[in-house]
Amino acid sequence: MELTMTAPSKTQKFWDWTANRYARSPIKDEAAYQRKLAITRTHLTPDTEVLEFGAGTGSTAILHAPHVKHIHAIDISPRMIEIAEGKTRDAGIDNITYERADMDTLMAPEESYDVALGMSILHLVDDRDSVIEKVHTMLRPGGVFVSSTVCMAEGYGIFRYIGPVGFALGLLPRLRVFSKAELEASIRAAGFEIEESWKQDSSPAAFIVARKA
């Protein structure tokens, strides 16, 4: 499903441009990825309705699809969606609906989902607080928000300076630099209780499982 949107933004153009390369890129840390998948699946049941925002080329949605009732997967890039839909057809998966949208444009009733996934996306949005608050609104009582987020303040603070230059040149997406503690504070402020939070010392990515109170 495609949402009528305005002219492509610089962010959308970047992800359209990089989509094919992104789809071919191997997982950087397969063991950590598998751990995240396993933890996420402890919160999934055959009746679970899932929202995944920033779904990219659909790899994670496809792996979770056999464990849930339905996944609504959104991404700002039509090229990412095109690749995801092709991969989903090839995998014989029929319970994922893709939509070209972001959390600002997504139209969904309150308390529509049991689980929301935001994998490698919160450091790319303009206003993480408003996105997390909208996730909270869209989850049913007791719903779970699972995220993996690059916290660039954890050793990558230089991106405060090179990120805007890279974005202006079209070489990088827009990057937001914040710490794991700042991210956790945003999640709690939105009304979530954090049940699990871990980050490998060698990686800036924080994996967080939070429940709607």
Side-chain angles (χ1 to χ4, degrees):
M1 179 168 60
E2 183 170 332
L3 182 73
T4 301
M5 301 180 75
T6 57
S9 65
K10 183 177 288 188
T11 298
Q12 179 193 312
K13 289 179 180 178
F14 172 85
W15 290 112
D16 285 343
W17 170 71
T18 197
N20 288 358
R21 183 176 59 184
Y22 181 88
R24 295 191 301 267
S25 299
I27 301 296
K28 291 183 179 180
D29 188 335
E30 185 66 32
Y33 183 61
Q34 291 300 324
R35 180 181 175 185
K36 293 172 186 178
L37 292 175
I39 293 172
T40 302
R41 285 175 186 156
T42 65
H43 300 283
L44 306 179
T45 74
D47 295 322
T48 300
E49 295 278 356
V50 178
L51 168 68
E52 182 176 4
F53 61 99
T57 58
S59 297
T60 300
I62 289 168
L63 292 173
H64 286 317
H67 305 275
V68 303
K69 181 178 181 180
H70 182 259
I71 298 177
H72 183 187
I74 67 171
D75 198 276
I76 195 173
S77 165
R79 179 57 185 152
M80 290 280 195
I81 293 292
E82 182 182 4
I83 294 171
E85 289 177 333
K87 288 167 59 176
T88 301
R89 286 193 299 270
D90 291 345
I93 299 293
D94 62 2
N95 64 334
I96 304 176
T97 301
Y98 291 98
E99 179 181 357
R100 178 192 165 203
D102 58 22
M103 288 299 285
D104 290 332
T105 59
L106 177 64
M107 303 294 292
E110 295 184 6
E111 300 184 359
S112 298
Y113 305 101
D114 303 295
V115 173
L117 306 178
M119 312 305 286
S120 298
I121 185 64
L122 288 177
H123 61 290
L124 301 175
V125 301
D126 288 336
D127 186 344
R128 73 173 184 276
D129 290 337
S130 67
V131 168
I132 295 169
E133 288 167 4
K134 189 167 183 178
V135 170
H136 187 273
T137 298
M138 290 184 170
L139 283 172
R140 294 174 179 134
V144 172
F145 177 32
V146 180
S147 64
S148 181
T149 307
V150 179
C151 298
M152 292 187 181
E154 313 281 343
Y156 292 82
I158 192 173
F159 276 95
R160 292 186 191 275
Y161 310 104
I162 66 174
V165 176
F167 178 72
L169 295 174
L171 301 176
L172 291 173
R174 190 183 299 278
L175 301 171
R176 302 301 183 186
V177 179
F178 50 81
S179 68
K180 179 171 175 282
E182 290 174 309
L183 175 61
E184 290 175 342
S186 292
I187 291 172
R188 291 191 178 98
F192 286 102
E193 296 177 353
I194 295 178
E195 295 189 342
E196 183 160 358
S197 178
W198 62 272
K199 183 180 78 67
Q200 292 179 307
D201 292 339
S202 60
S203 170
F207 181 74
I208 297 175
V209 178
R211 189 174 299 277
K212 181 174 180 175

